[in-house]
Amino acid sequence: MAHGGNVTYDGRSLIIKGEHKILFSGEIHYPRSTPQMWPSLIAKAKEGGLDVIQTLFDFSGRRDIVRFLKEVQAQGLYVSLRIGPFIQGEWAYGGLPIWLRDVPDIVFRSDNEPFKYHMWRFTTKIVKMMKSEKLFASQGGPIILSQIENEYQLVEAAFGEKGPPYAKWAAAMAVGLQTGVPWVMCKQSDAPDPVINACNGRRCGQTFVGPNSPNKPAIWTENWTSFYQVYGGEPDMRSAEDIAYQAALFVAKKGSYVNYYMYHGGTNFGRTASKYVLTSYYDQAPLDEYGLIRQPKWGHLKELHAAIKLCLKPLLSGVHSTFPLGQLQEAYVFKGNSEECAAFLVNNDNERNATVHFENSTYELPPESVSILPDCKIVAFNTAKVGTEYTTRSMKADQNLDSPDKWEEFNEPIPSFDKTSWRANTLLEQMSATKDKSDYLWYTFRFQHESLDTGFVLKVNSLAHVLHAFVNGKYIGSAHGSHSNLFFSLEKNVSLINGTNHVSLLSVMAGLPDSGSFLERRVTGLRRVRILNKNDAEDFTNYTWGYQVGLSGEKLNIHTEQGSSNIQWRRFGNSNHQRLTWYKTQFDAPKGNDPVALNLRSMGKGEAWVNGQSIGRYWVSFLTPKGSPSQTWYNVPRSFLNPKGNLLILFEEENGNPLGISVDTVSITRVCGRVSSSYPPPVISWVGQNQTRSKHKKKHGRRPKVQLRCPQRRKISKILFASFGTPFGGDCENYGFGRCHSSDSRTIVEKACIGRRTCSIPLSSKYFGGDPCPGIPKALLVDAICA
């Protein structure tokens, strides 16, 4: 178990129990996973070389922070606790409760007494909870750091003279709670003593100007492993090489704490995601949404951590020096006693290789890379050379829910003005009206029309996210905005009747805002409503409106077993997939232990529940610029499932067809690896130069290796490709034989790997029965199926 002891710091690093530490941390938000997943996520993080789990939190339902932190401690890791209370994190309203906006005279995140009072109450509550469970390191617990506020300097100027005093107050308030561990503020370059200012971003190895005091350590609280994705947006990929390059550079510049945001992203269950953010969160992290290891990120970073930890003595106690090795190349050297020396050789050129001379030896540095030499002689790791395997994740249909006989449906009623009880003479702001109890707010009005004119147009301006319009109970059209364009309009031709006409407008939020200044003043919902014809235009913005918060199905808890049993469901197909329809069916849990996902490829937009638990919003119809859905598969944790008869309820806003839904299993089905003669061997085999020369030491197979590992309960069943020689295909994509190839490659690899979960094949002419092309640098590429 991790027992922290007293935690202090100096200009070099955090000091735990009197020892300086270089720490690698991974962000895992336990509300975005389930308690049943936590032990495995934490274990994989530890195996990946992490020392710390960093998290933010929520308290409702299954979100038991104490249980999570005690599991982290039980597995021997530390905790960095981001108390906030404003956390952003692509979480609805940035983690602040919606009722806070109704506090009289409140101004969020400023020198404002109402806000400071509630922030003090919350922070004090969290600290007392942690103290009562003895979770701070000063009490023997795992928490070694706490964070107050979040990236405040980005908005501080907007508050004018109320900004700087608030930042100072927040720091003093936090320190006054006497947790016995340091506090940090990220992106706050003037964080008041003794609070540590920390860096967030992709390139802190290059951009961080350093601590604001020589007595504070350099800390990186968010090294983004990809980026959050929004509906309608393409995934923002980041390579394992780039993450490792920036992390190594940060350590070379005396950085002592690197946190990966996210290490496991997880799932935005229910309605917790902020505006337009996918239900799947940071799926491209080292541990994917389902908790599976994503290679090569996980393995490449594991190698980085191992290489840096070979350098700990000189890093933490040696003399640091920097000198150029070329125009864009430099060396960062840490020298302790006569034998302790570590070097980081950096090539900042992002286009060209560089040959550099260091300590009477020559080194080849790939573009934008760092070579780590734990003894200032032998390269243990280079950030641009990925020696770990690549994996392929597959979704396999277990059950197709394509039988109409197994589906039932219920049409959501379209409320008219007469059926609403809440009246106002203007358009209401949506968040203030719904209090975050629902994504949906009905705006309704009625008016008299006695003209024979035709050619009317309904025009609605909105600052919500989606709008569905109905006139006299008939659907006339929908429109939506985007993450980058919040304002949108709907303009549709309508047919009016002589007499009373009813207009019902369903305004939809796809998440609440989560960032920016003056969050309490944010305006959402409908802003202007007009009906136009060729002769005239009537503005209904300031008119008598009737309102209904939420859907009738929500009030009836139709998504639960009890609620759904009280509904008169109809046989599937009676409504011809009309807008605003609830669908119901049952399915059995797939056998085995592989993660489960719903493939909602045939649906439009809505929300899905399994056994009464929301697996999140879906929006399959919002395509990316490349013409594909941003998200098709939706995570269903195994803990949500019963062996048989699982209740699936969907609310579909558009005209999706549930007969195209399938229940899929998620697994790693292929593993592939490639190394060349210029690659360092696996770090685990590294031994220093002095050890290598010892008569009693062997080199332990100091050569590059292809190492393949299938997930648990799977073994290598087939070798799809193997070539020792000059194969092409640097990242295991679009590979093939080169001019030089050992004809026995597949046979030799099959003998080493078939039937095994793991195998290791050295890059060795002797291993492959001879050199197929003497004098030419060799490579080895292997692609295998796990079954």
Side-chain angles (χ1 to χ4, degrees), residues 231 267-271 279 407 439-440 558-560 581-583 587 597-600 603 605-620 632-637 640 647-653 661:
Y231 285 109
T267 306
N268 289 312
F269 297 110
R271 300 171 44 254
T279 295
W407 283 97
D439 283 350
Y440 303 97
I558 199 172
H559 64 281
T560 66
T581 300
W582 297 83
Y583 293 106
F587 68 94
L598 281 182
N599 185 338
L600 300 181
M603 303 306 288
K605 180 186 182 299
E607 188 172 352
W609 294 262
V610 174
N611 294 329
Q613 302 202 62
S614 174
I615 62 169
R617 303 182 184 96
Y618 65 84
W619 200 347
V620 183
T632 303
W633 283 272
Y634 290 78
N635 180 26
V636 184
F640 287 12
L647 177 67
L648 171 60
I649 303 285
L650 301 103
F651 175 66
E652 169 64 26
E653 295 176 28
I661 295 173

Side-chain angles (χ1 to χ4, degrees), residues 272-529:
T272 55
S274 62
K275 60 182 173 64
Y276 292 104
V277 170
L278 262 59
T279 295
S280 174
Y281 189 66
Y282 274 81
D283 183 45
Q284 294 293 328
L287 300 179
D288 72 9
E289 178 181 8
Y290 305 95
L292 300 176
I293 289 175
R294 185 176 285 283
Q295 297 282 34
K297 280 185 183 175
W298 183 87
H300 194 56
L301 295 178
K302 178 181 180 178
E303 288 282 283
L304 168 71
H305 306 150
I308 288 176
K309 287 176 181 178
L310 290 171
C311 309
L312 286 183
K313 276 193 175 181
L315 274 177
L316 291 170
S317 60
V319 176
H320 177 244
S321 60
T322 306
F323 52 87
L325 298 174
Q327 188 174 359
L328 293 172
Q329 295 75 39
E330 53 196 339
Y332 296 84
V333 182
F334 299 81
K335 285 193 175 182
N337 58 33
S338 58
E339 294 185 358
E340 291 174 353
C341 181
F344 294 70
L345 309 185
V346 180
N347 182 10
N348 293 305
D349 191 323
N350 58 13
E351 294 181 353
R352 298 177 181 83
N353 288 316
T355 301
V356 299
H357 301 282
F358 173 73
E359 295 282 326
N360 300 318
S361 294
T362 302
Y363 299 89
E364 295 292 328
L365 304 180
E368 207 163 53
S369 72
V370 179
S371 281
I372 299 175
L373 289 62
D375 60 357
C376 286
K377 296 176 183 177
I378 300 173
V379 176
F381 179 82
N382 178 274
T383 59
K385 296 180 177 180
V386 179
T388 193
E389 67 182 355
Y390 291 74
T391 56
T392 301
R393 186 178 72 185
S394 297
M395 310 298 203
K396 181 180 179 182
D398 183 82
Q399 298 161 62
N400 292 308
L401 305 182
D402 54 2
S403 173
D405 295 337
K406 293 184 178 180
W407 283 97
E408 296 176 284
E409 61 186 35
F410 173 78
N411 293 338
E412 174 68 23
I414 311 300
S416 64
F417 178 86
D418 298 332
K419 293 183 179 179
T420 59
S421 57
W422 186 5
R423 303 280 191 268
N425 293 325
T426 188
L427 294 172
L428 297 180
E429 195 283 316
Q430 186 159 346
M431 288 189 292
S432 297
T434 63
K435 309 297 184 189
D436 195 29
K437 299 298 183 184
S438 174
D439 283 350
Y440 303 97
L441 179 63
W442 283 103
Y443 293 75
T444 70
F445 69 97
R446 65 186 178 189
F447 68 101
Q448 292 296 119
H449 173 70
E450 297 177 355
S451 170
L452 296 178
D453 291 346
T454 59
F456 288 90
V457 174
L458 172 68
K459 186 168 184 178
V460 184
N461 297 335
S462 177
L463 278 172
H465 301 146
V466 181
L467 175 63
H468 305 294
F470 300 81
V471 175
N472 297 321
K474 181 181 177 181
Y475 171 76
I476 63 161
S478 298
H480 65 81
S482 68
H483 188 264
S484 59
N485 186 13
L486 299 181
F487 181 86
F488 70 94
S489 297
L490 176 142
E491 191 167 339
K492 292 289 182 180
N493 295 327
V494 296
S495 297
L496 302 179
I497 61 174
N498 284 326
T500 304
N501 287 265
H502 290 271
V503 178
S504 303
L505 305 173
L506 182 59
S507 181
V508 187
M509 297 290 289
L512 300 183
D514 74 323
S515 60
S517 56
F518 301 108
L519 199 58
E520 73 284 351
R521 302 179 190 174
R522 206 63 56 87
V523 175
T524 60
L526 305 190
R527 307 311 301 152
R528 191 178 187 189
V529 178

Side-chain angles (χ1 to χ4, degrees), residues 110 152 155-165 518:
S110 71
Y152 184 66
V155 299
E156 185 173 6
F159 297 102
E161 62 181 14
K162 295 290 187 179
F518 301 108

Side-chain angles (χ1 to χ4, degrees), residues 92-108:
Y93 220 46
L96 299 177
I98 197 70
W99 57 259
L100 205 60
R101 66 187 279 129
D102 295 328
V103 173
D105 302 319
I106 196 165
V107 180
F108 293 179

Side-chain angles (χ1 to χ4, degrees), residues 618-679:
Y618 65 84
W619 200 347
V620 183
S621 63
F622 196 166
L623 303 182
T624 71
K626 294 182 180 178
S628 60
S630 299
Q631 183 178 350
T632 303
W633 283 272
Y634 290 78
N635 180 26
V636 184
R638 283 275 181 181
S639 59
F640 287 12
L641 297 175
N642 303 315
K644 301 283 185 182
N646 295 285
L647 177 67
L648 171 60
I649 303 285
L650 301 103
F651 175 66
E652 169 64 26
E653 295 176 28
E654 301 178 348
N655 56 358
N657 183 357
L659 298 186
I661 295 173
S662 63
V663 181
D664 294 4
T665 54
V666 189
S667 60
I668 303 299
T669 55
R670 284 176 59 192
V671 291
C672 176
R674 183 192 186 279
V675 296
S676 74
S677 55
S678 69
Y679 279 46

Side-chain angles (χ1 to χ4, degrees), residues 649-779:
I649 303 285
L650 301 103
F651 175 66
E652 169 64 26
E653 295 176 28
E654 301 178 348
N655 56 358
N657 183 357
L659 298 186
I661 295 173
S662 63
V663 181
D664 294 4
T665 54
V666 189
S667 60
I668 303 299
T669 55
R670 284 176 59 192
V671 291
C672 176
R674 183 192 186 279
V675 296
S676 74
S677 55
S678 69
Y679 279 46
V683 176
I684 195 171
S685 69
W686 192 91
V687 287
Q689 183 73 22
N690 293 329
Q691 292 175 310
T692 332
R693 290 173 175 171
S694 168
K695 296 180 180 179
H696 306 290
K697 298 283 184 180
K698 296 182 179 180
K699 293 190 178 182
H700 300 291
R702 286 279 304 158
R703 58 173 63 91
K705 298 177 182 178
V706 166
Q707 299 182 99
L708 304 179
R709 182 173 83 162
C710 290
Q712 289 186 350
R713 297 178 294 276
R714 293 180 185 271
K715 294 181 179 179
I716 296 171
S717 61
K718 184 178 181 179
I719 302 300
L720 296 174
F721 180 88
S723 177
F724 172 72
T726 58
F728 64 84
D731 58 358
C732 290
E733 294 289 335
N734 303 314
Y735 53 70
F737 298 113
R739 293 183 178 180
C740 169
H741 166 69
S742 173
S743 58
D744 293 331
S745 296
R746 184 190 290 266
T747 301
I748 291 170
V749 171
E750 286 176 340
K751 184 178 179 181
C753 298
I754 294 293
R756 298 182 179 181
R757 184 186 170 216
T758 65
C759 66
S760 178
I761 309 105
L763 183 69
S764 163
S765 297
K766 184 177 180 181
Y767 190 85
F768 284 91
D771 192 335
C773 43
I776 296 177
K778 306 298 185 300

